[in-house]
Amino acid sequence: MARPFRQQADEGILDRAAALFARRGFAKTSVQDIADAVGLSKAGLLHHFPSKDALHEAVLAQAETLGRRVLDQLGDLPPGPARDRQALEVLVDVALAHPGLVALLLVPATDSGAEPNPAVTDLVLQAFGVDPGTTEPPRSVRVVGALAALAVLTLAAHAQDQTTAWRRHIVATCFDALGHHAAGATPSDPDQVEA
């Protein structure tokens, strides 16, 4: 019975570490900072992860594993609105469950010196059928815009303690950003022109 608790504890540690890496940067985040954030002693944290580098590698591995799970849940759905909707549903759930990872994955968008992790970003883009080298710019821009909205809105939902209440609205907003519209949806302004 101890195994599920250990895995849950490790996932919590990884998400808090990811949030601290996002906020302070890897170099400025100490093992003690992470231990304090998760309520462990430094020795207790090092029992779970032997070093800060090992912790950082585990954070990135978790992000990649979650990205692969997203693709697995999409199965063989062909590109189009149904796949986009399913990808958003799954990604919103992942983002709401792992706000620290979301914050860390947003860093390259806000810090010009930060490098994105292609192993993770490529998986997320694949969920929407985007290949950065071949996908037309309008589709790429819509997908990146929808993902940015998803990240910001899920983090805001956490900050407002509204994860359940906002979930469907986040999915709908991102679906609209992809250029799809829910049945019966109308622009808020009748003179509004679609891009």
Side-chain angles (χ1 to χ4, degrees), residues 127-186:
F128 295 96
V130 171
D131 176 349
T134 61
T135 302
E136 291 295 318
R139 174 67 176 167
S140 294
V141 168
R142 283 189 179 276
V143 169
V144 170
L147 291 170
L150 185 150
V152 170
L153 291 170
T154 56
L155 290 172
H158 267 281
Q160 299 293 320
D161 197 25
Q162 295 292 316
T163 56
T164 301
W166 288 22
R167 184 191 178 282
R168 71 182 180 95
H169 302 295
I170 295 169
V171 171
T173 298
C174 297
F175 195 65
D176 284 348
L178 289 170
H180 308 302
H181 301 285
T186 58

Short mmCIF file of all heavy atoms in Angstrom, two decimals, residues 127-186:
data_model
loop_
_atom_site.label_atom_id
_atom_site.label_comp_id
_atom_site.label_asym_id
_atom_site.label_seq_id
_atom_site.Cartn_x
_atom_site.Cartn_y
_atom_site.Cartn_z
N ALA A 127 -0.28 16.72 -30.55
CA ALA A 127 -1.66 16.46 -30.15
C ALA A 127 -2.64 17.20 -31.05
O ALA A 127 -3.77 16.76 -31.26
CB ALA A 127 -1.87 16.87 -28.68
N PHE A 128 -2.19 18.32 -31.61
CA PHE A 128 -3.03 19.12 -32.49
C PHE A 128 -2.63 18.98 -33.96
O PHE A 128 -3.06 19.76 -34.81
CB PHE A 128 -2.96 20.59 -32.08
CG PHE A 128 -3.55 20.83 -30.72
CD1 PHE A 128 -2.75 20.86 -29.59
CD2 PHE A 128 -4.92 20.99 -30.56
CE1 PHE A 128 -3.29 21.05 -28.34
CE2 PHE A 128 -5.48 21.18 -29.31
CZ PHE A 128 -4.67 21.21 -28.19
N GLY A 129 -1.77 18.00 -34.25
CA GLY A 129 -1.36 17.76 -35.62
C GLY A 129 -0.44 18.82 -36.18
O GLY A 129 -0.39 19.03 -37.38
N VAL A 130 0.29 19.50 -35.30
CA VAL A 130 1.17 20.58 -35.75
C VAL A 130 2.61 20.09 -35.83
O VAL A 130 3.15 19.56 -34.86
CB VAL A 130 1.09 21.80 -34.81
CG1 VAL A 130 2.16 22.83 -35.13
CG2 VAL A 130 -0.29 22.43 -34.89
N ASP A 131 3.20 20.29 -37.00
CA ASP A 131 4.62 20.08 -37.21
C ASP A 131 5.19 21.46 -37.52
O ASP A 131 4.85 22.04 -38.54
CB ASP A 131 4.86 19.14 -38.38
CG ASP A 131 6.34 18.96 -38.71
OD1 ASP A 131 7.18 19.71 -38.18
OD2 ASP A 131 6.65 18.07 -39.53
N PRO A 132 6.02 22.02 -36.61
CA PRO A 132 6.50 23.39 -36.80
C PRO A 132 7.14 23.65 -38.16
O PRO A 132 7.09 24.76 -38.66
CB PRO A 132 7.51 23.58 -35.67
CG PRO A 132 7.10 22.61 -34.62
CD PRO A 132 6.53 21.43 -35.38
N GLY A 133 7.70 22.63 -38.78
CA GLY A 133 8.36 22.82 -40.07
C GLY A 133 7.43 22.83 -41.27
O GLY A 133 7.76 23.37 -42.31
N THR A 134 6.24 22.23 -41.12
CA THR A 134 5.37 22.09 -42.29
C THR A 134 3.97 22.67 -42.12
O THR A 134 3.28 22.90 -43.11
CB THR A 134 5.23 20.61 -42.69
OG1 THR A 134 4.63 19.89 -41.61
CG2 THR A 134 6.57 20.01 -43.06
N THR A 135 3.53 22.89 -40.91
CA THR A 135 2.17 23.39 -40.68
C THR A 135 2.06 24.85 -41.10
O THR A 135 2.96 25.65 -40.81
CB THR A 135 1.77 23.22 -39.20
OG1 THR A 135 1.89 21.83 -38.86
CG2 THR A 135 0.35 23.68 -38.94
N GLU A 136 0.97 25.18 -41.75
CA GLU A 136 0.73 26.56 -42.19
C GLU A 136 0.69 27.50 -40.99
O GLU A 136 0.16 27.14 -39.94
CB GLU A 136 -0.59 26.65 -42.97
CG GLU A 136 -0.55 25.95 -44.31
CD GLU A 136 0.42 26.61 -45.28
OE1 GLU A 136 0.45 27.85 -45.35
OE2 GLU A 136 1.14 25.88 -45.97
N PRO A 137 1.23 28.71 -41.14
CA PRO A 137 1.27 29.67 -40.02
C PRO A 137 -0.07 29.93 -39.32
O PRO A 137 -0.10 29.97 -38.09
CB PRO A 137 1.85 30.94 -40.65
CG PRO A 137 2.68 30.44 -41.77
CD PRO A 137 1.94 29.24 -42.32
N PRO A 138 -1.19 30.09 -40.04
CA PRO A 138 -2.44 30.36 -39.31
C PRO A 138 -2.78 29.26 -38.31
O PRO A 138 -3.19 29.56 -37.18
CB PRO A 138 -3.50 30.46 -40.41
CG PRO A 138 -2.74 30.87 -41.63
CD PRO A 138 -1.40 30.18 -41.50
N ARG A 139 -2.60 28.01 -38.68
CA ARG A 139 -2.89 26.90 -37.76
C ARG A 139 -1.89 26.90 -36.60
O ARG A 139 -2.28 26.74 -35.45
CB ARG A 139 -2.84 25.56 -38.52
CG ARG A 139 -2.98 24.33 -37.64
CD ARG A 139 -4.34 24.19 -37.02
NE ARG A 139 -4.41 22.92 -36.28
CZ ARG A 139 -5.34 22.62 -35.43
NH1 ARG A 139 -6.35 23.45 -35.22
NH2 ARG A 139 -5.33 21.48 -34.79
N SER A 140 -0.62 27.08 -36.89
CA SER A 140 0.40 27.12 -35.84
C SER A 140 0.10 28.22 -34.83
O SER A 140 0.17 28.01 -33.62
CB SER A 140 1.79 27.33 -36.43
OG SER A 140 2.16 26.23 -37.21
N VAL A 141 -0.25 29.40 -35.34
CA VAL A 141 -0.54 30.54 -34.45
C VAL A 141 -1.77 30.24 -33.59
O VAL A 141 -1.78 30.52 -32.39
CB VAL A 141 -0.72 31.84 -35.27
CG1 VAL A 141 -1.29 32.95 -34.41
CG2 VAL A 141 0.61 32.26 -35.88
N ARG A 142 -2.80 29.66 -34.19
CA ARG A 142 -4.01 29.34 -33.41
C ARG A 142 -3.69 28.32 -32.32
O ARG A 142 -4.15 28.45 -31.19
CB ARG A 142 -5.11 28.81 -34.31
CG ARG A 142 -5.82 29.91 -35.10
CD ARG A 142 -7.05 29.33 -35.81
NE ARG A 142 -7.76 30.33 -36.55
CZ ARG A 142 -8.67 31.16 -36.03
NH1 ARG A 142 -8.94 31.12 -34.74
NH2 ARG A 142 -9.30 32.02 -36.79
N VAL A 143 -2.90 27.30 -32.65
CA VAL A 143 -2.58 26.28 -31.65
C VAL A 143 -1.73 26.87 -30.52
O VAL A 143 -2.02 26.65 -29.35
CB VAL A 143 -1.88 25.06 -32.31
CG1 VAL A 143 -1.29 24.13 -31.25
CG2 VAL A 143 -2.85 24.32 -33.21
N VAL A 144 -0.71 27.63 -30.87
CA VAL A 144 0.12 28.25 -29.83
C VAL A 144 -0.72 29.21 -28.98
O VAL A 144 -0.59 29.24 -27.76
CB VAL A 144 1.35 28.95 -30.46
CG1 VAL A 144 2.09 29.78 -29.42
CG2 VAL A 144 2.29 27.91 -31.07
N GLY A 145 -1.60 29.97 -29.62
CA GLY A 145 -2.48 30.87 -28.87
C GLY A 145 -3.42 30.12 -27.94
O GLY A 145 -3.61 30.52 -26.79
N ALA A 146 -3.98 29.02 -28.42
CA ALA A 146 -4.88 28.22 -27.58
C ALA A 146 -4.11 27.62 -26.40
O ALA A 146 -4.62 27.58 -25.26
CB ALA A 146 -5.54 27.12 -28.41
N LEU A 147 -2.89 27.16 -26.65
CA LEU A 147 -2.08 26.58 -25.57
C LEU A 147 -1.67 27.63 -24.55
O LEU A 147 -1.66 27.37 -23.34
CB LEU A 147 -0.84 25.88 -26.14
CG LEU A 147 -1.13 24.60 -26.93
CD1 LEU A 147 0.12 24.12 -27.65
CD2 LEU A 147 -1.70 23.52 -26.02
N ALA A 148 -1.35 28.84 -25.02
CA ALA A 148 -1.02 29.92 -24.09
C ALA A 148 -2.24 30.26 -23.24
O ALA A 148 -2.13 30.44 -22.02
CB ALA A 148 -0.54 31.14 -24.86
N ALA A 149 -3.40 30.33 -23.87
CA ALA A 149 -4.63 30.61 -23.11
C ALA A 149 -4.89 29.50 -22.10
O ALA A 149 -5.23 29.76 -20.94
CB ALA A 149 -5.82 30.75 -24.07
N LEU A 150 -4.70 28.26 -22.52
CA LEU A 150 -4.91 27.12 -21.63
C LEU A 150 -4.00 27.24 -20.41
O LEU A 150 -4.44 27.07 -19.27
CB LEU A 150 -4.65 25.82 -22.39
CG LEU A 150 -4.93 24.52 -21.67
CD1 LEU A 150 -5.34 23.45 -22.68
CD2 LEU A 150 -3.74 24.03 -20.87
N ALA A 151 -2.74 27.54 -20.64
CA ALA A 151 -1.78 27.64 -19.54
C ALA A 151 -2.15 28.77 -18.59
O ALA A 151 -2.22 28.57 -17.37
CB ALA A 151 -0.37 27.84 -20.09
N VAL A 152 -2.39 29.94 -19.14
CA VAL A 152 -2.69 31.10 -18.29
C VAL A 152 -4.00 30.89 -17.53
O VAL A 152 -4.10 31.17 -16.33
CB VAL A 152 -2.73 32.39 -19.14
CG1 VAL A 152 -3.27 33.56 -18.34
CG2 VAL A 152 -1.32 32.71 -19.66
N LEU A 153 -5.01 30.38 -18.22
CA LEU A 153 -6.32 30.20 -17.56
C LEU A 153 -6.30 29.11 -16.50
O LEU A 153 -6.94 29.25 -15.46
CB LEU A 153 -7.40 29.91 -18.61
CG LEU A 153 -7.75 31.09 -19.52
CD1 LEU A 153 -8.64 30.64 -20.67
CD2 LEU A 153 -8.39 32.21 -18.72
N THR A 154 -5.56 28.03 -16.73
CA THR A 154 -5.49 26.99 -15.69
C THR A 154 -4.72 27.49 -14.47
O THR A 154 -5.10 27.18 -13.33
CB THR A 154 -4.90 25.67 -16.21
OG1 THR A 154 -3.61 25.90 -16.77
CG2 THR A 154 -5.82 25.02 -17.24
N LEU A 155 -3.68 28.27 -14.70
CA LEU A 155 -2.96 28.86 -13.55
C LEU A 155 -3.85 29.85 -12.81
O LEU A 155 -3.86 29.89 -11.57
CB LEU A 155 -1.66 29.53 -14.02
CG LEU A 155 -0.57 28.57 -14.50
CD1 LEU A 155 0.59 29.35 -15.12
CD2 LEU A 155 -0.08 27.67 -13.37
N ALA A 156 -4.61 30.65 -13.55
CA ALA A 156 -5.54 31.59 -12.91
C ALA A 156 -6.63 30.85 -12.15
O ALA A 156 -7.03 31.27 -11.05
CB ALA A 156 -6.15 32.52 -13.96
N ALA A 157 -7.11 29.75 -12.69
CA ALA A 157 -8.13 28.95 -12.00
C ALA A 157 -7.59 28.44 -10.67
O ALA A 157 -8.31 28.46 -9.65
CB ALA A 157 -8.58 27.79 -12.88
N HIS A 158 -6.33 28.02 -10.66
CA HIS A 158 -5.71 27.59 -9.40
C HIS A 158 -5.61 28.77 -8.42
O HIS A 158 -5.93 28.63 -7.24
CB HIS A 158 -4.32 26.99 -9.63
CG HIS A 158 -4.34 25.53 -9.80
ND1 HIS A 158 -4.44 24.66 -8.75
CD2 HIS A 158 -4.31 24.77 -10.91
CE1 HIS A 158 -4.47 23.43 -9.19
NE2 HIS A 158 -4.39 23.47 -10.52
N ALA A 159 -5.16 29.90 -8.91
CA ALA A 159 -4.98 31.07 -8.05
C ALA A 159 -6.31 31.52 -7.44
O ALA A 159 -6.34 31.99 -6.31
CB ALA A 159 -4.34 32.22 -8.84
N GLN A 160 -7.39 31.35 -8.19
CA GLN A 160 -8.72 31.75 -7.71
C GLN A 160 -9.46 30.61 -7.03
O GLN A 160 -10.61 30.78 -6.62
CB GLN A 160 -9.56 32.26 -8.90
CG GLN A 160 -9.00 33.46 -9.60
CD GLN A 160 -9.03 34.68 -8.71
OE1 GLN A 160 -9.99 34.91 -7.98
NE2 GLN A 160 -7.96 35.46 -8.74
N ASP A 161 -8.83 29.44 -6.92
CA ASP A 161 -9.45 28.23 -6.37
C ASP A 161 -10.76 27.91 -7.10
O ASP A 161 -11.79 27.64 -6.48
CB ASP A 161 -9.68 28.39 -4.86
CG ASP A 161 -9.94 27.06 -4.16
OD1 ASP A 161 -9.50 26.01 -4.70
OD2 ASP A 161 -10.60 27.06 -3.11
N GLN A 162 -10.69 27.98 -8.43
CA GLN A 162 -11.87 27.77 -9.27
C GLN A 162 -11.63 26.69 -10.33
O GLN A 162 -12.21 26.76 -11.41
CB GLN A 162 -12.25 29.09 -9.96
CG GLN A 162 -12.70 30.17 -9.03
CD GLN A 162 -14.04 29.83 -8.38
OE1 GLN A 162 -14.95 29.36 -9.03
NE2 GLN A 162 -14.13 30.05 -7.09
N THR A 163 -10.81 25.71 -10.03
CA THR A 163 -10.45 24.73 -11.06
C THR A 163 -11.66 23.99 -11.61
O THR A 163 -11.78 23.80 -12.82
CB THR A 163 -9.40 23.72 -10.54
OG1 THR A 163 -9.91 23.09 -9.36
CG2 THR A 163 -8.09 24.41 -10.23
N THR A 164 -12.56 23.59 -10.77
CA THR A 164 -13.74 22.86 -11.24
C THR A 164 -14.70 23.79 -11.97
O THR A 164 -15.19 23.47 -13.06
CB THR A 164 -14.46 22.19 -10.05
OG1 THR A 164 -13.53 21.30 -9.41
CG2 THR A 164 -15.67 21.40 -10.51
N ALA A 165 -14.96 24.95 -11.40
CA ALA A 165 -15.92 25.89 -11.99
C ALA A 165 -15.45 26.43 -13.34
O ALA A 165 -16.27 26.69 -14.22
CB ALA A 165 -16.17 27.05 -11.03
N TRP A 166 -14.16 26.60 -13.53
CA TRP A 166 -13.65 27.20 -14.76
C TRP A 166 -13.34 26.18 -15.85
O TRP A 166 -13.16 26.56 -16.99
CB TRP A 166 -12.37 27.99 -14.47
CG TRP A 166 -12.55 29.27 -13.73
CD1 TRP A 166 -13.59 29.65 -12.94
CD2 TRP A 166 -11.63 30.36 -13.73
NE1 TRP A 166 -13.36 30.90 -12.42
CE2 TRP A 166 -12.15 31.36 -12.89
CE3 TRP A 166 -10.40 30.56 -14.33
CZ2 TRP A 166 -11.50 32.55 -12.66
CZ3 TRP A 166 -9.75 31.75 -14.09
CH2 TRP A 166 -10.30 32.74 -13.26
N ARG A 167 -13.26 24.91 -15.52
CA ARG A 167 -12.76 23.90 -16.47
C ARG A 167 -13.46 23.98 -17.82
O ARG A 167 -12.83 24.09 -18.86
CB ARG A 167 -12.89 22.50 -15.89
CG ARG A 167 -12.28 21.45 -16.81
CD ARG A 167 -12.63 20.02 -16.39
NE ARG A 167 -12.07 19.07 -17.31
CZ ARG A 167 -12.58 18.80 -18.51
NH1 ARG A 167 -13.67 19.42 -18.92
NH2 ARG A 167 -12.00 17.92 -19.29
N ARG A 168 -14.79 23.89 -17.84
CA ARG A 168 -15.49 23.87 -19.13
C ARG A 168 -15.32 25.17 -19.90
O ARG A 168 -15.29 25.18 -21.12
CB ARG A 168 -16.95 23.49 -18.96
CG ARG A 168 -17.82 24.53 -18.32
CD ARG A 168 -19.26 24.00 -18.15
NE ARG A 168 -20.09 24.99 -17.53
CZ ARG A 168 -20.86 25.84 -18.21
NH1 ARG A 168 -20.92 25.79 -19.52
NH2 ARG A 168 -21.57 26.73 -17.56
N HIS A 169 -15.18 26.28 -19.16
CA HIS A 169 -14.99 27.57 -19.82
C HIS A 169 -13.59 27.67 -20.45
O HIS A 169 -13.42 28.28 -21.50
CB HIS A 169 -15.20 28.72 -18.83
CG HIS A 169 -16.56 28.69 -18.21
ND1 HIS A 169 -17.72 28.87 -18.93
CD2 HIS A 169 -16.94 28.47 -16.93
CE1 HIS A 169 -18.76 28.78 -18.13
NE2 HIS A 169 -18.32 28.54 -16.90
N ILE A 170 -12.62 27.07 -19.78
CA ILE A 170 -11.27 27.06 -20.34
C ILE A 170 -11.25 26.25 -21.64
O ILE A 170 -10.70 26.69 -22.65
CB ILE A 170 -10.25 26.50 -19.31
CG1 ILE A 170 -10.16 27.43 -18.10
CG2 ILE A 170 -8.88 26.29 -19.96
CD1 ILE A 170 -9.40 26.84 -16.92
N VAL A 171 -11.88 25.08 -21.60
CA VAL A 171 -11.94 24.25 -22.81
C VAL A 171 -12.64 25.01 -23.93
O VAL A 171 -12.15 25.06 -25.07
CB VAL A 171 -12.64 22.89 -22.53
CG1 VAL A 171 -12.89 22.13 -23.83
CG2 VAL A 171 -11.81 22.04 -21.57
N ALA A 172 -13.76 25.64 -23.63
CA ALA A 172 -14.52 26.37 -24.66
C ALA A 172 -13.71 27.55 -25.23
O ALA A 172 -13.71 27.78 -26.44
CB ALA A 172 -15.85 26.87 -24.08
N THR A 173 -13.03 28.27 -24.36
CA THR A 173 -12.23 29.41 -24.81
C THR A 173 -11.11 28.94 -25.75
O THR A 173 -10.87 29.55 -26.80
CB THR A 173 -11.64 30.15 -23.60
OG1 THR A 173 -12.73 30.66 -22.82
CG2 THR A 173 -10.73 31.29 -24.01
N CYS A 174 -10.43 27.88 -25.37
CA CYS A 174 -9.34 27.36 -26.20
C CYS A 174 -9.85 26.77 -27.50
O CYS A 174 -9.21 26.91 -28.55
CB CYS A 174 -8.53 26.34 -25.40
SG CYS A 174 -7.72 27.06 -23.95
N PHE A 175 -11.01 26.13 -27.46
CA PHE A 175 -11.62 25.58 -28.67
C PHE A 175 -11.94 26.72 -29.64
O PHE A 175 -11.67 26.62 -30.84
CB PHE A 175 -12.89 24.80 -28.29
CG PHE A 175 -13.42 23.92 -29.38
CD1 PHE A 175 -12.70 22.83 -29.85
CD2 PHE A 175 -14.67 24.15 -29.92
CE1 PHE A 175 -13.20 21.99 -30.83
CE2 PHE A 175 -15.19 23.32 -30.91
CZ PHE A 175 -14.46 22.24 -31.36
N ASP A 176 -12.46 27.81 -29.12
CA ASP A 176 -12.72 29.00 -29.95
C ASP A 176 -11.40 29.55 -30.52
O ASP A 176 -11.35 29.95 -31.68
CB ASP A 176 -13.40 30.11 -29.14
CG ASP A 176 -14.88 29.84 -28.90
OD1 ASP A 176 -15.44 28.92 -29.52
OD2 ASP A 176 -15.46 30.56 -28.06
N ALA A 177 -10.36 29.58 -29.70
CA ALA A 177 -9.07 30.09 -30.17
C ALA A 177 -8.52 29.27 -31.33
O ALA A 177 -7.81 29.79 -32.18
CB ALA A 177 -8.06 30.12 -29.02
N LEU A 178 -8.89 28.00 -31.38
CA LEU A 178 -8.45 27.14 -32.48
C LEU A 178 -9.26 27.38 -33.76
O LEU A 178 -8.96 26.80 -34.80
CB LEU A 178 -8.55 25.67 -32.08
CG LEU A 178 -7.52 25.20 -31.04
CD1 LEU A 178 -7.86 23.81 -30.54
CD2 LEU A 178 -6.12 25.26 -31.61
N GLY A 179 -10.27 28.24 -33.66
CA GLY A 179 -11.08 28.55 -34.83
C GLY A 179 -12.35 27.74 -34.93
O GLY A 179 -13.07 27.82 -35.92
N HIS A 180 -12.65 26.96 -33.90
CA HIS A 180 -13.88 26.16 -33.87
C HIS A 180 -14.88 26.89 -32.98
O HIS A 180 -14.50 27.61 -32.06
CB HIS A 180 -13.62 24.77 -33.28
CG HIS A 180 -12.48 24.05 -33.93
ND1 HIS A 180 -12.43 23.77 -35.27
CD2 HIS A 180 -11.33 23.56 -33.41
CE1 HIS A 180 -11.31 23.12 -35.55
NE2 HIS A 180 -10.62 22.99 -34.43
N HIS A 181 -16.12 26.66 -33.23
CA HIS A 181 -17.14 27.31 -32.41
C HIS A 181 -18.13 26.26 -31.94
O HIS A 181 -18.54 25.39 -32.71
CB HIS A 181 -17.87 28.40 -33.19
CG HIS A 181 -16.93 29.46 -33.67
ND1 HIS A 181 -16.40 30.41 -32.83
CD2 HIS A 181 -16.39 29.70 -34.89
CE1 HIS A 181 -15.59 31.20 -33.50
NE2 HIS A 181 -15.55 30.79 -34.77
N ALA A 182 -18.51 26.37 -30.68
CA ALA A 182 -19.51 25.47 -30.13
C ALA A 182 -20.84 25.73 -30.82
O ALA A 182 -21.13 26.85 -31.23
CB ALA A 182 -19.63 25.68 -28.63
N ALA A 183 -21.66 24.69 -30.94
CA ALA A 183 -22.97 24.84 -31.56
C ALA A 183 -23.77 25.92 -30.83
O ALA A 183 -23.83 25.94 -29.60
CB ALA A 183 -23.72 23.52 -31.53
N GLY A 184 -24.35 26.82 -31.60
CA GLY A 184 -25.18 27.87 -31.01
C GLY A 184 -24.41 29.05 -30.48
O GLY A 184 -25.00 30.00 -29.98
N ALA A 185 -23.07 29.03 -30.56
CA ALA A 185 -22.29 30.15 -30.06
C ALA A 185 -22.36 31.31 -31.05
O ALA A 185 -22.30 31.12 -32.26
CB ALA A 185 -20.84 29.74 -29.85
N THR A 186 -22.49 32.49 -30.53
CA THR A 186 -22.52 33.69 -31.37
C THR A 186 -21.52 34.68 -30.83
O THR A 186 -21.23 34.70 -29.63
CB THR A 186 -23.92 34.34 -31.39
OG1 THR A 186 -24.28 34.68 -30.05
CG2 THR A 186 -24.96 33.43 -32.00
#
